[in-house]
Amino acid sequence: MKFRFHRNLKRTLFGLMGAGILAGGLSACMGHREHGFGGPMTEERSAEMRGKMIEKVGKKLELNDAQKQLLGVLGDKLQEQRKALMAGGDPRADMLDLVNGAKFNRSRAQAIVEEKTTALRSKSPDVIAAAGDFYDALNPTQQQQVRDFLQRRGGMWRHG
């Protein structure tokens, strides 16, 4: 349970730092991997995980109701961006198509990058605004907790 909390907190904080763009593009290009053992990520399961993440982050940072609402908006915007990145087909199938022949399909790889970049460009302003609204609503102690967490845990780049 603790690991799942840290994974969700890391995702949120990663979005706060605006680096979600790179990770989202990479994950969209490399394929979708479900987290946990609960099967495919349905809308219902996603909403449940979002609620748990808000609850746990809310406790950890001692968020008030307004801050929790802003965190919820950030979660919604990150989910919208993820959906936009995942739209247009199966990322794993796309990757297999790149290496299906005797030569790497460079033109298709470039097309995938362009598709994902367009999706990122269209959704990123909302994610950045929501991340800024949430972070700016934190008091200095809460902001320091966020910075300490990123410093200690390495954000999304380190697991464990």
Side-chain angles (χ1 to χ4, degrees):
M1 185 63 90
K2 186 177 180 181
F3 177 74
R4 192 173 284 174
F5 164 71
H6 286 297
R7 182 175 54 221
N8 289 331
L9 180 59
K10 285 192 267 185
R11 283 189 195 135
T12 301
L13 295 175
F14 193 65
L16 282 172
M17 299 304 154
I21 294 169
L22 176 61
L26 182 59
S27 68
C29 290
M30 295 304 291
H32 177 68
R33 184 179 131 220
E34 297 301 339
H35 296 285
F37 300 104
M41 183 63 72
T42 62
E43 290 292 325
E44 183 179 285
R45 184 160 177 247
S46 179
E48 178 185 337
M49 289 178 65
R50 178 186 170 277
K52 286 180 181 180
M53 181 268 308
I54 291 171
E55 180 183 325
K56 289 180 182 186
V57 172
K59 273 186 182 177
K60 184 79 170 171
L61 294 177
E62 298 177 6
L63 299 178
N64 62 36
D65 289 339
Q67 292 168 325
K68 286 179 186 176
Q69 184 178 12
L70 290 171
L71 179 59
V73 170
L74 175 57
D76 291 343
K77 296 303 177 184
L78 288 168
Q79 182 64 21
E80 287 174 20
Q81 185 177 55
R82 182 186 174 281
K83 283 182 184 178
L85 286 169
M86 299 308 290
D90 178 11
R92 284 197 175 127
D94 287 343
M95 288 303 294
L96 286 172
D97 284 345
L98 299 179
V99 296
N100 205 20
K103 296 201 181 243
F104 185 80
N105 189 339
R106 289 175 172 90
S107 62
R108 179 64 188 132
Q110 186 62 45
I112 291 170
V113 169
E114 295 297 326
E115 291 168 10
K116 302 310 175 187
T117 302
T118 299
L120 286 169
R121 280 192 191 120
S122 70
K123 297 295 181 183
S124 291
D126 291 340
V127 171
I128 292 167
D133 290 346
F134 173 69
Y135 185 79
D136 293 348
L138 298 175
N139 66 43
T141 302
Q142 292 167 322
Q143 289 178 346
Q144 187 61 49
Q145 285 177 294
V146 169
R147 289 187 293 270
D148 290 346
F149 178 81
L150 290 172
Q151 191 77 34
R152 184 176 64 249
R153 302 293 295 186
M156 286 288 287
W157 301 110
R158 276 191 356 215
H159 296 282

